[in-house]
Amino acid sequence: MLRTTHAREYLPVIESLVAGGVRFIELTLTTGGVFDHLAEIRAAFGNTAEIGIGTVTTTEQAERALDVGAQFLVTPTTNLDIVHTAVAHGIPIVPGGLTPTELHAGWSAGAAAVKVFPASTVGPDYIGQLHGPFPQMQLIPSGGVTIGDAPRWISAGALAVSLGGPLVGDAFDGGSLAQLTERARRVTELVAAATEDRKGTNR
């Protein structure tokens, strides 16, 4: 999840993330100019990364995001009208929720996965508890997830993790892009290892 003052600042940061193995990039609508710069950003990365738009809160925003080429949508809440809009266009959507009712509603409406938000308020064990009644539900924790605890979320059954500040750090404020790439590489390796361990446990 990338949040800054304006989308013109995105390209070098995304390049560093992709170099570290990150393949799904969420551009947030709390950043100015996202709609105007999405085509340029997508063209720069071709098939090396999926570029989506997050913090979508209205169907109008969803429609515009789809019009400018967003490859997936992310919402902070469970707005079924937005979910239905994305599903009707054949675009993956990850709606946010915290309670079992919210998460199940988004999943049942056709979401590709559902975002557990804010995840730090519940912790990784919550994933296992949700998978009791909803074993097929694909869950992505977001909000307060750190690089160090990413493997715990994966081991608990999360499909992936959503990282913002802990991964991006000071990259938008003149911080080292090389260090950003190293952080990205570290988290992708940790997640890959945890995923393999989980597969081995489930065999």
Side-chain angles (χ1 to χ4, degrees):
M1 177 192 319
L2 297 185
R3 181 178 292 112
T4 185
T5 55
H6 198 277
R8 69 174 69 92
E9 302 171 22
Y10 273 145
L11 279 176
V13 170
I14 296 175
E15 286 172 0
S16 299
L17 289 168
V18 171
V22 176
R23 294 293 176 262
F24 292 87
I25 308 290
E26 175 192 341
L27 312 181
T28 66
L29 288 183
T30 50
T31 294
V34 168
F35 291 135
D36 295 333
H37 286 265
L38 181 64
E40 170 195 358
I41 293 169
R42 278 203 56 191
F45 296 98
N47 295 324
T48 61
E50 300 281 317
I51 310 294
I53 290 182
T55 323
V56 177
T57 58
T58 68
T59 54
E60 290 77 15
Q61 289 175 340
E63 293 281 4
R64 189 171 180 196
L66 297 173
D67 287 344
V68 298
Q71 292 174 284
F72 62 89
L73 301 181
V74 182
T75 73
T77 63
T78 304
N79 183 321
L80 295 183
D81 289 337
I82 297 175
V83 176
H84 294 150
T85 296
V87 170
H89 284 80
I91 297 297
I93 183 166
V94 182
L98 188 63
T99 69
T101 299
E102 292 168 338
L103 295 166
H104 184 259
W107 177 249
S108 297
V114 286
K115 181 174 76 170
V116 180
F117 175 77
S120 61
T121 63
V122 289
D125 290 346
Y126 192 50
I127 300 294
Q129 293 169 353
L130 289 168
H131 274 158
F134 312 125
Q136 304 306 317
M137 187 183 293
Q138 300 294 331
L139 298 156
I140 300 176
S142 177
V145 178
T146 68
I147 292 173
D149 65 19
R152 290 183 57 218
W153 287 100
I154 298 298
S155 297
L159 172 67
V161 294
S162 174
L163 290 170
L167 174 58
V168 176
D170 60 357
F172 284 118
D173 299 314
S176 169
L177 293 178
Q179 290 180 11
L180 172 59
T181 295
E182 284 306 308
R183 289 194 297 273
R185 185 172 290 118
R186 180 184 173 217
V187 73
T188 54
E189 289 173 352
L190 288 171
V191 166
T195 301
E196 283 304 309
D197 287 347
R198 192 176 76 197
K199 289 178 181 176
T201 301
N202 292 336
R203 285 192 186 114

